[in-house]
Amino acid sequence: MTVRVHHLNCGSMRPLASPRMICHVLAVETDDGIVVVDTGFGLCDIEQPTRLGLMGKVLRPDLKYEETAIAQIEALDFDRRDVRHVVVTHLDLDHAGGIADFPEATLHVTDSEYQYAGTAPGLSAKIRYGSWRSTPEPTVERYAEFTTPWHGFDAAPVRGVGDSVLLVSLPGHTPGHAGVAVNTGDRWLLHCGDAFYHHATIRGGSVPFVVRTSEGISAISRRVAKDTRRRLSATFGKGELPVDVVCAHDPVLLGDHKKTSGSG
């Protein structure tokens, strides 16, 4: 299957006492339509910012129409109906806000993430998943078994997309957090979601203290999340594998891939 990847920023955020963050979204052109990886913030968030609750006040997103996935996909001369699949790393509001903008697409998510996001009690779950719980129910494909080995990680092929897109288990940030691996031909592109926040995790160097603190505070399991970051660094940090690695919120990684891919 032939693919072309567009790297999009679908949500500029300006958290207090933290560097600027973005919502790195992929729009993958395939022979069978467009696959969107994460969505960032959506039209519902712009029209009703209060649905973001406390997290909206913490993340302080710009909420610009032109940054939504639907606006940028239409700017690429596609229609929202061309989006056949939305694959999410997890269902936090800054990753799932635009799902409702593609009502004809199938949502792909891990089973544990889907169940936790929909039913977990308590204030913490309400804060991070509140807007998802108020989103109209899409057509959903859920993944409980990850039996395909991929560079030492457990993965599952995304149904309906052949073997070009995989969900890769990267737990810790949320119970069902996953990466999304896209086969671009001679290489793979791994979108790690919130498994890490800063390019130094993969490229080497020092991760700023405030970023490390944010990674820890936002993780459901800090120990598991730390182990996932260690595995990602050990596997991909030397650059010996044909895999390019990005995360959701680092503007450096987004900028680098926009330059090399020419995407808007």
Side-chain angles (χ1 to χ4, degrees):
M1 180 180 291
T2 304
V3 303
R4 181 185 179 191
V5 180
H6 301 273
H7 295 262
L8 313 175
N9 172 24
C10 295
S12 296
M13 300 178 288
R14 307 172 195 281
L16 292 172
S18 178
R20 172 178 171 265
M21 300 172 71
I22 50 89
C23 295
H24 192 157
V25 167
L26 308 179
V28 184
E29 294 183 46
T30 76
D31 296 340
D32 297 317
I34 294 175
V35 179
V36 170
V37 177
D38 278 356
T39 68
F41 296 100
L43 297 179
C44 290
D45 301 317
I46 294 173
E47 295 165 0
Q48 190 182 358
T50 55
R51 77 192 293 266
L52 301 177
L54 177 61
M55 285 305 296
K57 299 182 185 300
V58 173
L59 297 175
R60 301 170 68 207
D62 288 352
L63 296 180
K64 296 179 179 179
Y65 169 77
E66 58 269 24
E67 284 192 344
T68 61
I70 182 62
Q72 294 184 68
I73 285 171
E74 289 177 343
L76 292 169
D77 292 328
F78 293 104
D79 187 271
R80 70 177 66 205
R81 290 171 294 185
D82 294 321
V83 177
R84 303 287 301 280
H85 305 274
V86 174
V87 188
V88 291
T89 59
H90 60 302
L91 290 168
D92 277 355
L93 56 84
D94 53 326
H95 296 256
I99 290 173
D101 297 338
F102 306 103
E104 298 183 35
T106 298
L107 173 67
H108 300 264
V109 61
T110 67
D111 184 65
S112 53
E113 182 72 8
Y114 182 85
Q115 292 192 50
Y116 188 83
T119 62
L123 180 61
S124 176
K126 182 179 179 181
I127 289 172
R128 73 191 307 158
Y129 294 124
S131 60
W132 160 250
R133 294 178 181 183
S134 65
T135 297
E137 184 78 6
T139 300
V140 180
E141 287 279 356
R142 295 154 64 173
Y143 297 77
E145 296 183 359
F146 291 74
T147 58
T148 299
W150 187 81
H151 295 300
F153 292 85
D154 297 327
V158 172
R159 301 175 192 123
V161 194
D163 57 358
S164 294
V165 183
L166 307 175
L167 274 169
V168 181
S169 181
L170 299 177
H173 180 72
T174 61
H177 186 278
V180 182
V182 180
N183 188 343
T184 61
D186 58 341
R187 298 183 66 81
W188 285 83
L189 173 66
L190 176 62
H191 190 308
C192 292
D194 283 356
F196 68 95
Y197 283 7
H198 193 273
H199 57 273
T201 300
I202 301 298
R203 297 182 175 179
S206 177
V207 177
F209 173 78
V210 67
V211 176
R212 286 188 280 116
T213 301
S214 296
E215 288 176 334
I217 291 174
S218 63
I220 294 291
S221 173
R222 295 186 186 186
R223 179 187 61 79
V224 175
K226 184 176 181 180
D227 182 62
T228 294
R229 288 193 297 273
R230 179 193 60 76
R231 291 181 64 204
L232 287 169
S233 176
T235 303
F236 303 113
K238 295 180 180 179
E240 297 173 347
L241 297 173
V243 180
D244 298 312
V245 180
V246 301
C247 64
H249 298 312
D250 188 334
V252 172
L253 291 174
L254 174 66
D256 288 350
H257 281 274
K258 277 192 172 185
K259 291 175 185 176
T260 58
S261 68
S263 57

